[in-house]
Amino acid sequence: MLKVGVLGAGHLGKIHLRLLNESKKYELIGFHDADSSNGEKVSSEFGYTYFKKLDDLIDAVDVVDIVTPTLSHYDCAKKAIEKSKHIFIEKPITHTIEEANSLLALEKEYGVKGQVGHVERFNPAFTSVKDAINEPMFIEAHRLAEFNPRGTDVPVVLDLMIHDIDAILSVVNSEVIQVNASGVSVISQSPDIANARLEFANGCVANLTASRISLKNMRKSRFFQKDAYISVDFLEKKVEVVKMKDAPEEPGDFDMILQNAEGIKKQIYFENPSIETNNAILDELESFAEAINNDTTPVVSLKQGTQALKVALQIIAEFNPKKI
């Protein structure tokens, strides 16, 4: 079992603490929180060991789980890596691309592993169809949330849309060559609703919408590719897979057949992938333990986390081009 410590005991930090304490792949040593009163409270309430000094916790573990505000990600990760500790770091990886690139260099220099907490990669609906998403040419993603004051210190792109950016980059094997976007601040100082259009070198286009002022929650992405349509509902954990193949010469009575203007006939059929219930946060944490123990590349590497941040910041820059 890998010895692990958590940095940050806020809402998400407490979830990480509980799951790591239950995991059979980790031994939870304790946690550190910059707010000592909160640290003492969490320790008293749940029984986790509270380390008043950050360095003491880092020295006591093999893996540092960073669940602090984004602005502190870099400093915490840098300190851990320079002590040769593996790092799991919540999304977004850092506040700036310069910080992210610095972590990539440190990761290589010290020979440690790092993973970014893009939890939707472990959503069972997405994992059930990920291998079936093959060269999509048009993608549409909607991530809508009811208003919650937590997280409004950053643009909705870094709060919500970055989940879909990362998922899309993981299935489109091509470089983003064009970004067009708009964002509007409604209730926060930073944009609350945003739309972005990503164009890839291979011709794929992705249209993403994110809002944190919606009247209902929605987390759905649709992938269109040659002879297939795949819909992933991240919220309800459901998928729809509609495929087409050449129609048989003698269709059955219940076969669904389409014929285009050129006279080509296609048969429509449906697939129902098996979706297993899981805890995505626990899965991402334990997959990192497996990557460390087996010396394999983490599912969401620091490099991939950096790529998602890069695209997110390009989108934000489009909101006010004069400030680029």
Side-chain angles (χ1 to χ4, degrees):
M1 295 174 73
L2 293 165
K3 295 180 179 179
V4 64
V6 177
L7 305 186
H11 173 74
L12 186 56
K14 284 187 281 191
I15 294 174
H16 279 227
L17 281 165
R18 175 175 59 81
L19 294 174
L20 289 169
N21 194 45
E22 296 172 357
S23 173
K24 292 180 172 59
K25 296 184 184 294
Y26 290 101
E27 177 188 355
L28 178 61
I29 300 301
F31 74 100
H32 169 78
D33 193 281
D35 182 345
S36 59
S37 61
N38 182 60
E40 298 288 358
K41 179 183 176 183
V42 171
S43 178
S44 174
E45 185 174 350
F46 299 101
Y48 309 129
T49 302
Y50 174 55
F51 285 71
K52 292 184 178 180
K53 294 183 178 180
L54 173 61
D55 286 307
D56 290 345
L57 177 61
I58 294 175
D59 289 338
V61 301
D62 306 307
V63 180
V64 178
D65 180 12
I66 302 168
V67 201
T68 61
T70 303
L71 286 174
S72 63
H73 281 187
Y74 175 72
D75 289 338
C76 292
K78 181 175 184 291
K79 183 167 287 192
I81 293 174
E82 288 178 341
K83 288 176 176 284
S84 297
K85 309 298 180 178
H86 304 291
I87 61 162
F88 183 96
I89 186 168
E90 262 307 321
K91 63 82 188 168
I93 178 172
T94 51
H95 183 60
T96 68
I97 285 296
E98 290 74 22
E99 290 176 343
N101 286 333
S102 176
L103 290 188
L104 288 175
L106 288 168
E107 178 190 36
K108 183 176 181 180
E109 179 183 350
Y110 285 88
V112 298
K113 292 186 183 297
Q115 180 165 318
V116 183
H118 285 287
V119 71
E120 292 288 38
R121 291 275 208 105
F122 297 84
N123 187 301
F126 183 64
T127 58
S128 73
V129 295
K130 186 176 185 295
D131 291 341
I133 302 174
N134 182 28
E135 296 186 13
M137 295 311 293
F138 181 73
I139 302 169
E140 193 166 36
H142 287 87
R143 187 166 293 261
L144 314 178
E146 297 175 0
F147 183 75
N148 183 338
R150 186 169 55 86
T152 55
D153 55 325
V154 296
V156 70
V157 176
L158 293 176
D159 184 27
L160 297 179
M161 188 184 283
I162 196 166
H163 283 295
D164 297 311
I165 294 170
D166 172 71
I168 289 169
L169 292 180
S170 75
V171 296
V172 180
N173 187 26
S174 185
E175 180 184 359
V176 175
I177 59 171
Q178 181 69 38
V179 175
N180 296 102
S182 60
V184 178
S185 300
V186 178
I187 198 169
S188 311
Q189 293 300 310
S190 59
D192 295 303
I193 185 167
N195 176 262
R197 176 185 168 91
L198 309 180
E199 296 181 24
F200 294 83
N202 68 352
C204 177
V205 172
N207 189 30
L208 299 84
T209 299
S211 169
R212 58 187 176 204
I213 52 168
S214 178
L215 295 178
K216 65 176 182 178
N217 293 320
M218 176 190 289
R219 303 204 306 261
K220 183 177 285 189
S221 293
R222 302 172 179 87
F223 302 85
F224 299 84
Q225 60 195 43
K226 180 68 174 176
D227 292 336
Y229 159 76
I230 299 170
S231 173
V232 180
D233 190 327
F234 291 92
L235 183 62
E236 299 294 336
K237 297 178 174 56
K238 296 178 180 178
V239 297
E240 293 178 357
V241 180
V242 183
K243 291 189 174 182
M244 289 188 291
K245 61 183 178 181
D246 292 335
E249 291 186 8
E250 297 183 9
D253 291 340
F254 299 101
D255 289 344
M256 297 180 65
I257 307 297
L258 288 181
Q259 179 174 324
N260 65 15
E262 289 74 31
I264 298 174
K265 295 181 178 180
K266 293 283 186 177
Q267 179 182 353
I268 296 176
Y269 64 101
F270 300 86
E271 290 185 354
N272 297 297
S274 175
I275 300 176
E276 298 181 6
T277 302
N278 75 329
N279 185 308
I281 296 177
L282 178 61
D283 280 2
E284 67 176 351
L285 290 167
E286 292 196 334
S287 79
F288 186 46
E290 292 171 3
I292 294 169
N293 291 327
N294 299 326
D295 194 22
T296 56
T297 302
V299 175
V300 187
S301 65
L302 296 190
K303 182 178 180 180
Q304 290 175 319
T306 299
Q307 291 169 336
L309 176 63
K310 179 182 177 182
V311 173
L313 292 178
Q314 285 179 285
I315 290 170
I316 292 170
E318 284 291 306
F319 295 164
N320 191 349
K322 294 179 181 179
K323 290 186 177 182
I324 296 177

